[in-house]
Amino acid sequence: KTGLLTRVTGLSGYALRRDGERLTFSILVNGFRGSAQGAMDGLDRFVEALVGEEADAPLAPDQERGR
């Protein structure tokens, strides 16, 4: 699930690590500075770091955003 309001963005979803561990995450950013695209890119990088180098692609968030 993703959403975007003025200076608010969020990202929730599931990710499956290569070791089989399933992660569930939900992140809300309120009052960010800079562009909305920059904030969403930052969320993507955060999730990549959360999942780590051992990760497969996220299961849902990017497809829901229509990227």
Side-chain angles (χ1 to χ4, degrees):
K1 166 78 177 98
T2 61
L4 184 62
L5 302 169
T6 303
R7 301 284 174 222
V8 178
T9 189
L11 180 65
S12 298
Y14 302 99
L16 184 62
R17 292 174 45 99
R18 289 195 178 146
D19 64 7
E21 181 178 8
R22 181 178 291 230
L23 303 176
T24 304
F25 60 89
S26 185
I27 307 161
L28 178 64
V29 179
N30 186 19
F32 64 84
R33 295 181 182 178
S35 70
Q37 186 62 54
M40 290 187 296
D41 290 345
L43 285 176
D44 289 341
R45 288 190 306 272
F46 180 85
V47 171
E48 289 171 2
L50 177 71
V51 174
E53 292 181 2
E54 295 292 317
D56 287 331
L59 299 178
D62 288 341
Q63 289 79 20
E64 290 182 6
R65 191 176 310 146
R67 288 185 166 184

